[in-house]
Amino acid sequence: MSVVTSTLSDADRTVVGNALQGALVDLVDLSLVAKQVHWNVVGPRFRSVHLQLDEVVATARLHTDTVAERAAAISVSPDGRSVTVAKTSGIGEVTDGWIKDDHAVDALVAALAAVIGRMRRRITDTAEPDPVTQDILIGLTADLEKHHWMFQAESQ
């Protein structure tokens, strides 16, 4: 059942909907991974890494809502259920238990790199069918790349 009509063709809506759904899942998982590491980080850089992780969580959550609402606006029902996130996220698992600050930084560098790589493919995929969605993906990728840079600098 579709309760919203889209100005996109069915073919374009499928391409764009898939890109938005993938982005949604990756952002939900990124926020969960960052929060898990945030709760468990230990070490001499605890405070700075702990606070930096919350910045990633805030960014991911902000963009999650934007992406989900864009999907709804083009008549694609967003699916952020835990089962969907677990099955389709592109982020690897983080270790359970306490995590040393240097390992926490490495985990976020890897998680951000995975999401950014997938976002860049989505940017390319949405260029023709929907520049509006592409613009959203470009903006959120820029924010993620800033976090990626900052975490990499933290590990030097």
Side-chain angles (χ1 to χ4, degrees):
M1 171 182 78
S2 181
V3 296
V4 177
T5 58
S6 176
T7 58
L8 299 177
S9 71
D10 287 345
D12 287 350
R13 191 169 56 86
T14 298
V15 170
V16 175
N18 288 339
L20 288 166
Q21 179 58 40
L24 175 64
V25 164
D26 283 350
L27 290 167
V28 168
D29 200 22
L30 179 62
S31 72
L32 294 172
V33 165
K35 207 47 147 162
Q36 178 66 24
V37 175
H38 166 90
W39 293 323
N40 287 285
V41 66
V42 295
R45 295 181 297 158
F46 163 80
R47 182 164 173 73
S48 64
V49 173
H50 183 79
L51 294 173
Q52 195 173 359
L53 288 161
D54 264 345
E55 293 172 6
V56 173
V57 171
T59 297
R61 288 180 178 168
L62 172 72
H63 289 298
T64 297
D65 199 47
T66 301
V67 165
E69 289 178 357
R70 178 64 188 159
I74 65 164
S75 190
V76 172
S77 176
D79 186 357
R81 297 173 302 149
S82 59
V83 65
T84 303
V85 173
K87 284 182 185 175
T88 60
S89 172
I91 301 174
E93 289 186 35
V94 294
T95 183
D96 63 345
W98 304 115
I99 183 167
K100 291 287 294 171
D101 50 10
D102 56 333
H103 295 271
V105 168
D106 291 344
L108 260 291
V109 168
L112 286 161
V115 173
I116 290 165
R118 289 165 55 109
M119 290 298 178
R120 286 194 161 274
R121 286 190 294 281
R122 294 175 185 124
I123 289 167
T124 301
D125 292 347
T126 57
E128 182 63 33
D130 188 24
V132 174
T133 295
Q134 183 193 42
D135 184 57
I136 291 168
L137 296 175
I138 289 169
L140 76 87
T141 302
D143 287 349
L144 295 177
E145 286 180 340
K146 182 177 178 182
H147 288 298
H148 187 246
W149 155 58
M150 290 183 169
F151 272 103
Q152 287 182 84
E154 184 76 33
S155 68
Q156 297 305 310

